[in-house]
Short mmCIF file of all heavy atoms in Angstrom, two decimals:
data_model
loop_
_atom_site.label_atom_id
_atom_site.label_comp_id
_atom_site.label_asym_id
_atom_site.label_seq_id
_atom_site.Cartn_x
_atom_site.Cartn_y
_atom_site.Cartn_z
N PHE B 409 129.20 98.10 -22.66
CA PHE B 409 128.19 98.82 -23.44
C PHE B 409 127.05 97.88 -23.87
O PHE B 409 125.96 98.21 -23.74
CB PHE B 409 128.83 99.44 -24.75
CG PHE B 409 130.04 100.38 -24.40
CD1 PHE B 409 130.99 100.68 -25.42
CD2 PHE B 409 130.13 100.90 -23.19
CE1 PHE B 409 131.94 101.52 -25.19
CE2 PHE B 409 131.19 101.79 -22.98
CZ PHE B 409 132.15 102.08 -23.84
N GLY B 410 127.45 96.71 -24.32
CA GLY B 410 126.40 95.77 -24.70
C GLY B 410 125.50 95.37 -23.54
O GLY B 410 124.29 95.37 -23.61
N ALA B 411 126.12 95.12 -22.37
CA ALA B 411 125.36 94.78 -21.19
C ALA B 411 124.46 95.90 -20.79
O ALA B 411 123.29 95.65 -20.35
CB ALA B 411 126.34 94.50 -20.02
N LEU B 412 124.92 97.12 -20.91
CA LEU B 412 124.07 98.30 -20.46
C LEU B 412 122.84 98.25 -21.40
O LEU B 412 121.74 98.47 -20.85
CB LEU B 412 124.85 99.55 -20.76
CG LEU B 412 125.73 99.99 -19.51
CD1 LEU B 412 126.53 101.29 -19.93
CD2 LEU B 412 125.01 100.27 -18.33
N HIS B 413 122.93 98.04 -22.63
CA HIS B 413 121.76 98.13 -23.52
C HIS B 413 120.98 96.85 -23.27
O HIS B 413 119.65 96.95 -23.50
CB HIS B 413 122.21 98.23 -25.02
CG HIS B 413 122.73 99.62 -25.31
ND1 HIS B 413 124.08 100.00 -25.16
CD2 HIS B 413 122.09 100.77 -25.75
CE1 HIS B 413 124.22 101.24 -25.50
NE2 HIS B 413 123.07 101.69 -25.88
N TYR B 414 121.60 95.75 -23.06
CA TYR B 414 120.89 94.51 -22.85
C TYR B 414 119.99 94.57 -21.65
O TYR B 414 118.78 94.21 -21.62
CB TYR B 414 121.84 93.35 -22.92
CG TYR B 414 121.28 91.99 -22.64
CD1 TYR B 414 120.26 91.42 -23.48
CD2 TYR B 414 121.79 91.23 -21.62
CE1 TYR B 414 119.81 90.16 -23.29
CE2 TYR B 414 121.26 89.91 -21.43
CZ TYR B 414 120.26 89.36 -22.26
OH TYR B 414 119.79 88.11 -22.03
N TRP B 415 120.58 94.91 -20.53
CA TRP B 415 119.88 94.85 -19.25
C TRP B 415 119.18 96.11 -18.85
O TRP B 415 118.62 96.13 -17.82
CB TRP B 415 120.86 94.35 -18.16
CG TRP B 415 121.15 92.88 -18.15
CD1 TRP B 415 120.16 91.93 -18.25
CD2 TRP B 415 122.33 92.11 -18.04
NE1 TRP B 415 120.69 90.65 -18.16
CE2 TRP B 415 122.07 90.74 -18.03
CE3 TRP B 415 123.65 92.52 -17.86
CZ2 TRP B 415 123.01 89.74 -17.85
CZ3 TRP B 415 124.60 91.55 -17.70
CH2 TRP B 415 124.26 90.16 -17.79
N PHE B 416 119.37 97.16 -19.61
CA PHE B 416 118.81 98.39 -19.27
C PHE B 416 117.31 98.27 -18.89
O PHE B 416 116.90 98.80 -17.84
CB PHE B 416 118.96 99.40 -20.40
CG PHE B 416 118.74 100.88 -20.09
CD1 PHE B 416 119.82 101.63 -19.60
CD2 PHE B 416 117.52 101.42 -20.18
CE1 PHE B 416 119.65 102.95 -19.22
CE2 PHE B 416 117.34 102.74 -19.84
CZ PHE B 416 118.38 103.51 -19.29
N PRO B 417 116.46 97.64 -19.83
CA PRO B 417 115.05 97.64 -19.43
C PRO B 417 114.78 96.93 -18.09
O PRO B 417 113.96 97.31 -17.34
CB PRO B 417 114.50 96.77 -20.54
CG PRO B 417 115.51 96.65 -21.61
CD PRO B 417 116.81 96.97 -20.98
N LYS B 418 115.61 95.87 -17.82
CA LYS B 418 115.40 95.13 -16.57
C LYS B 418 115.85 95.99 -15.38
O LYS B 418 115.24 96.04 -14.32
CB LYS B 418 116.21 93.89 -16.65
CG LYS B 418 116.13 92.97 -15.42
CD LYS B 418 114.66 92.47 -15.24
CE LYS B 418 113.98 91.74 -16.33
NZ LYS B 418 112.63 91.49 -16.14
N MET B 419 116.98 96.64 -15.47
CA MET B 419 117.57 97.32 -14.30
C MET B 419 116.72 98.63 -14.04
O MET B 419 116.49 98.99 -12.84
CB MET B 419 118.99 97.78 -14.58
CG MET B 419 119.93 96.59 -14.75
SD MET B 419 121.60 97.05 -15.32
CE MET B 419 122.34 97.50 -13.80
N PHE B 420 116.32 99.30 -15.13
CA PHE B 420 115.72 100.58 -14.88
C PHE B 420 114.21 100.69 -15.22
O PHE B 420 113.50 101.61 -14.95
CB PHE B 420 116.43 101.73 -15.63
CG PHE B 420 117.92 101.72 -15.22
CD1 PHE B 420 118.90 101.35 -16.17
CD2 PHE B 420 118.31 102.20 -13.99
CE1 PHE B 420 120.24 101.34 -15.87
CE2 PHE B 420 119.70 102.13 -13.70
CZ PHE B 420 120.60 101.76 -14.54
N GLY B 421 113.71 99.60 -15.86
CA GLY B 421 112.26 99.70 -16.23
C GLY B 421 112.01 100.66 -17.27
O GLY B 421 110.83 101.11 -17.48
#
Side-chain angles (χ1 to χ4, degrees):
Chain B
F409 301 158
L412 276 175
H413 287 86
Y414 176 56
W415 278 316
F416 195 90
K418 182 58 62 186
M419 295 170 86
F420 303 110

